[in-house]
Amino acid sequence: MAVIGFVNAGGGAKEYPGKMTAFVFLICLMAATGGLILGYDIGISGGVTSMDSFLIKFFPAVYHKEEEDKGTNQYCKFDSQLLTTFTSSLYLAALIASFFASTVTRVLGRKWSMLGGGVAFLVGSAINGAADNVAMLIIGRILLGVGVGFAGQNICLNNNSPSQSVPVYLSEMAPARVRGMLNIGFQLMITIGILTANLINYGTSKIKGGWGWRVSLALAGVPAIVFTAGALILPDTPNSLLERGHDQQARAMLRRIRGTDDIHEEYAHLIAAREESKKVKHPWRTILRRRHRPQLTMVILIPFFQQLTGINVIMFYAPVLFKTVGYDSDASLMSAVITGLVNFFATFVSIFTVDRLGRRVLFLQGGVQMLACQIAVGTLIAIKFGTSGEGHLSHDYAATVVAFICIYVAGFAWSWGPLGVLVASEIFPLEIRSVGQSINVSVSMIFTFIIAQIFLILLCHLKFGIFYFFGGWVLIMTVFVAFLLPETKGVPIEEMALVWKSHWFWGGFISDEQISVLHMVDRINGTHNSNHECPVNFPPSLTKSSKILKPTM
C-alpha cells in the first residue's frame, strides 16, 4: 500500500495511508476536460482573425490597413478595438455569468446549471458559425462566455458552493502526494484545446471559398458536449459531502478514492475542518480577516501576475503576432500550431516534476526562462523594426523569433500556467474555499479581458517595448514567489495552515488557534507528533465537541 505523506511546518512527518486508484484517476481526467472549453476558445479566436476571408467579411478596415501597411508600420496594422472586442467579450461575459451561475446552482442544482451552460455554449457556437455581421459574432462570443461561466464554475463540490470549480474539485479528490500531477491535468486539457484549435484553423484556412472560419468557430460546441456530458456524472468529494451532512457517504467516498479502509486520521481532519467551517456565517467577511491575509494575497496576485506574463497575448494573437514579424497567413497559422505543440508537451514536464521538485522550483525556473525570452524577442524585433515599425524579417531571422517565443511558451507551460491554478486551489481552508476560488476566477477573468482588449493598442504604442513591459512583470512576480510563496507540495489540503505558520513573513498572520485544531485531531487519534513547533491551545468550542472528531467505523 502506498503512503501519502508530507513534511509539516515543524519538520515532523505526517502520513495518510492511501494510494492513487483507477477511480480517482478517471474522475479527475473527466473533470479536467473542462479545460478543453477554455483552451479551444483561446486558440480559435486568434486563428480566425488572421484569416483574410474573415477580416474581409467582418473587419474590412483592418484588412485594407494590413494591405496598405505591408513593409511599413508593422506594429499598428491590426489595431482595432472592434477586433479585440470580438476576442475579449467572452471573458467579460464569463465573469458576469459566473455570479448568476451561483444563484442558479443554489436554486436548481448543479446538473441544471451545467446543462444551461452547455446549451448556451452550443447556441453561441452555432451563432458564430452562421454569423453574417459583427453583432452576431459578438453575441455568439458572449453566449460562449455564459457557457464558460456556468459550466466552468459549476463542477462544484456541493450544490451550495458553486464557485468551487474544476481545480478545487481536483485538489480535494487527489491524494496529497500526487495532487499537483492530477490538478495539472486541467492545464493539460487547456493545452489540448489550444493545440486542437490551432490545427483546425490551419486546416480550415485552406477550404476554398473562404468560409473555413465558420467551421473553426462552430466546432467550439464539441468540447462543450464532452465536458457537459462528463460533468453530469461526476461524484461529490468527501469534503463537500461532509459539509452537507452526509457523513456516511463521505466516509465511503474517502475509502473509495484512497483505496484503503485506513482513513481514520484523514477523515478526522475533514470532520474538524467541517466543524470550523460551520462557525463561519459570512465567508466574504471572514476572508478579509488578518488570519486569511496570506491566502487572500495569493489568490489575488497569482492570477493577476499570471495574465501579466503575456502568455494570453501569445495564445490569443499568435497568428496575428507572427504575421507582424513577417510570416504570411498560412505560415503564421503553422507557427501557432508549433507553439501549441510546445505548450502541450512542456506541460508534461510540470506533471511529472511538480510533486517531486515542488511548486517554488518550477515557478522560479520558469520565471527566469520567460524573462530571458521576453528580452530576446523584444531586442530582435527592435533591431529590425526599430520604433518606426518599418522593415522586413528574413525567414531565418523570423524563425529565430519564433524559437524564442516557443522557449518562452515552454517556460510558462511548466510553471505559471499550471501552477497558478494549482496553488490557488489548494491553499484555502474549507470555510472560505468557495469564496477564495470565486475571487481567483474573477481576478483571472477581469485581467484576461483587460489584456485581450488592450494588447493591440499596447503593441501599436509600445512597439517592441511591449515585450520588455511583460518581461518587467515577469521579474516582479519571480521575486514575489522567491520571498513570499511557501512550498505546498505534499501537504494535505486541510492542513495547509501549518505551511503559512512556518513562513518567515506570513507566520505572524496565522493564529495559534488555527494550528491547535490540527493538534487536537492528532491527540484524539493518538498520532500527535512531538515535533510540531507551534503551541497547542485547544479552542473551547472544539474541546466540548471533540467526541465527533473520533470517527466510528
Side-chain angles (χ1 to χ4, degrees):
M1 179 176 67
V3 173
I4 304 164
F6 77 98
V7 177
N8 63 37
K14 176 177 286 297
E15 298 177 347
Y16 286 158
K19 59 186 177 182
M20 172 107 106
T21 64
F23 176 71
V24 166
F25 179 80
L26 289 175
I27 61 175
C28 286
L29 181 64
M30 188 180 300
T33 59
L36 290 174
I37 293 177
L38 186 56
Y40 190 87
D41 282 321
I42 289 173
I44 211 69
S45 57
V48 296
T49 53
S50 72
M51 296 180 187
D52 289 343
S53 58
F54 180 83
L55 292 176
I56 290 171
K57 183 170 182 62
F58 297 106
F59 306 97
V62 175
Y63 174 77
H64 293 309
K65 186 176 181 180
E66 178 191 2
E67 290 297 304
E68 293 170 0
D69 288 349
K70 283 185 176 178
T72 57
N73 191 335
Q74 299 291 335
Y75 297 123
C76 297
K77 61 185 182 181
F78 287 101
D79 184 17
S80 167
Q81 284 299 288
L82 193 59
L83 180 63
T84 53
T85 299
F86 163 69
T87 298
S88 62
S89 56
L90 181 148
Y91 301 96
L92 184 61
L95 171 65
I96 296 172
S98 66
F99 294 108
F100 288 98
S102 173
T103 301
V104 172
T105 303
R106 186 163 51 249
V107 174
L108 300 179
R110 180 181 70 187
K111 292 187 178 182
W112 285 105
S113 178
M114 294 187 64
L115 182 61
V119 170
F121 208 94
L122 290 171
V123 173
S125 302
I127 291 176
N128 273 345
D132 278 327
N133 51 60
V134 175
M136 287 184 70
L137 277 181
I138 294 178
I139 289 172
R141 290 288 287 181
I142 289 173
L143 287 172
L144 292 178
V146 172
V148 170
F150 272 75
Q153 286 290 306
N154 286 288
I155 282 197
C156 59
L157 307 185
N158 58 71
N159 289 341
N160 299 313
S161 301
S163 59
Q164 296 183 347
S165 57
V166 176
V168 174
Y169 183 92
L170 296 172
S171 288
E172 292 200 348
M173 279 295 196
R177 178 173 55 87
V178 292
R179 184 174 64 240
M181 180 185 72
L182 292 178
N183 192 288
I184 291 173
F186 179 69
Q187 180 69 20
L188 181 65
M189 289 297 177
I190 291 178
T191 67
I192 292 175
I194 293 172
L195 176 59
T196 301
N198 290 337
L199 289 168
I200 289 173
N201 280 334
Y202 183 74
T204 58
S205 69
K206 299 183 179 299
I207 295 177
K208 293 181 180 180
W211 53 272
W213 56 268
R214 293 189 183 278
V215 178
S216 294
L217 294 176
L219 285 177
V222 175
I225 293 172
V226 173
F227 170 72
T228 304
L232 291 175
I233 61 175
L234 286 173
D236 282 327
T237 69
N239 313 63
S240 71
L241 290 168
L242 281 173
E243 193 175 13
R244 288 149 54 199
H246 303 310
D247 292 28
Q248 295 301 322
Q249 291 176 252
R251 188 183 295 115
M253 180 58 65
L254 189 59
R255 284 200 200 97
R256 189 174 184 187
I257 65 176
R258 297 296 179 253
T260 178
D261 289 332
D262 188 8
I263 60 168
H264 304 15
E265 187 179 0
E266 183 173 6
Y267 183 77
H269 279 118
L270 295 181
I271 288 285
R274 191 265 304 273
E275 294 306 308
E276 283 296 289
S277 71
K278 284 182 177 179
K279 302 175 186 177
V280 177
K281 303 300 182 184
H282 305 286
W284 285 98
R285 188 184 305 166
T286 301
I287 201 172
L288 298 177
R289 293 179 179 173
R290 177 181 172 83
R291 68 174 183 267
H292 297 308
R293 199 69 48 78
Q295 298 98 320
L296 182 61
T297 299
M298 295 299 161
V299 86
I300 292 175
L301 289 185
I302 286 178
F304 168 74
F305 284 145
Q306 189 182 50
Q307 300 311 314
L308 285 170
T309 59
I311 188 62
N312 279 339
V313 168
I314 301 296
M315 293 306 173
F316 286 159
Y317 301 110
V320 171
L321 189 60
F322 289 132
K323 288 184 77 172
T324 297
V325 298
Y327 287 94
D328 60 25
S329 183
D330 281 353
S332 67
L333 288 171
M334 177 52 69
S335 297
V337 170
I338 293 172
T339 58
L341 283 168
V342 170
N343 191 28
F344 171 68
F345 285 110
T347 302
F348 283 98
V349 174
S350 186
I351 288 175
F352 292 124
T353 61
V354 67
D355 292 311
R356 296 181 182 180
L357 300 179
R359 284 62 161 154
R360 282 173 49 83
V361 169
L362 293 177
F363 263 130
L364 296 174
Q365 188 282 327
V368 172
Q369 182 170 322
M370 288 190 292
L371 175 60
C373 291
Q374 293 277 25
I375 294 173
V377 171
T379 302
L380 287 170
I381 293 178
I383 292 172
K384 287 295 184 179
F385 293 149
T387 56
S388 68
E390 298 180 6
H392 178 74
L393 302 184
S394 68
H395 180 273
D396 290 342
Y397 201 94
T400 302
V401 174
V402 172
F404 274 109
I405 289 177
C406 287
I407 296 171
Y408 160 83
V409 169
F412 177 86
W414 61 58
S415 63
W416 277 90
L419 301 183
V421 176
L422 168 61
V423 171
S425 72
E426 66 184 1
I427 60 176
F428 280 99
L430 182 63
E431 63 266 24
I432 56 169
R433 193 169 296 152
S434 173
V435 171
Q437 188 65 9
S438 292
I439 294 173
N440 177 57
V441 171
S442 298
V443 173
S444 180
M445 287 295 180
I446 288 170
F447 284 97
T448 300
F449 167 76
I450 291 173
I451 295 299
Q453 189 66 31
I454 70 173
F455 164 66
L456 294 178
I457 298 176
L458 290 177
L459 179 61
C460 184
H461 289 83
L462 296 181
K463 303 174 172 51
F464 61 84
I466 192 171
F467 296 98
Y468 298 149
F469 170 78
F470 287 120
W473 282 107
V474 172
L475 176 61
I476 292 171
M477 65 184 71
T478 302
V479 173
F480 171 83
V481 168
F483 287 98
L484 293 177
L485 181 66
E487 183 55 66
T488 56
K489 74 168 183 176
V491 181
I493 194 170
E494 303 300 351
E495 302 190 18
M496 203 62 70
L498 294 170
V499 173
W500 301 107
K501 185 64 177 178
S502 67
H503 191 266
W504 70 273
F505 180 77
W506 299 118
F509 290 83
I510 307 302
S511 67
D512 293 338
E513 182 176 347
Q514 288 177 268
I515 304 303
S516 65
V517 171
L518 301 177
H519 284 275
M520 173 173 287
V521 177
D522 287 342
R523 286 188 174 182
I524 293 172
N525 286 278
T527 60
H528 176 64
N529 192 320
S530 61
N531 290 326
H532 285 314
E533 293 177 355
C534 305
V536 180
N537 298 307
F538 299 142
S541 59
L542 276 179
T543 303
K544 293 177 181 178
S545 60
S546 60
K547 290 182 180 180
I548 67 170
L549 299 177
K550 183 69 174 179
T552 57
M553 302 302 295

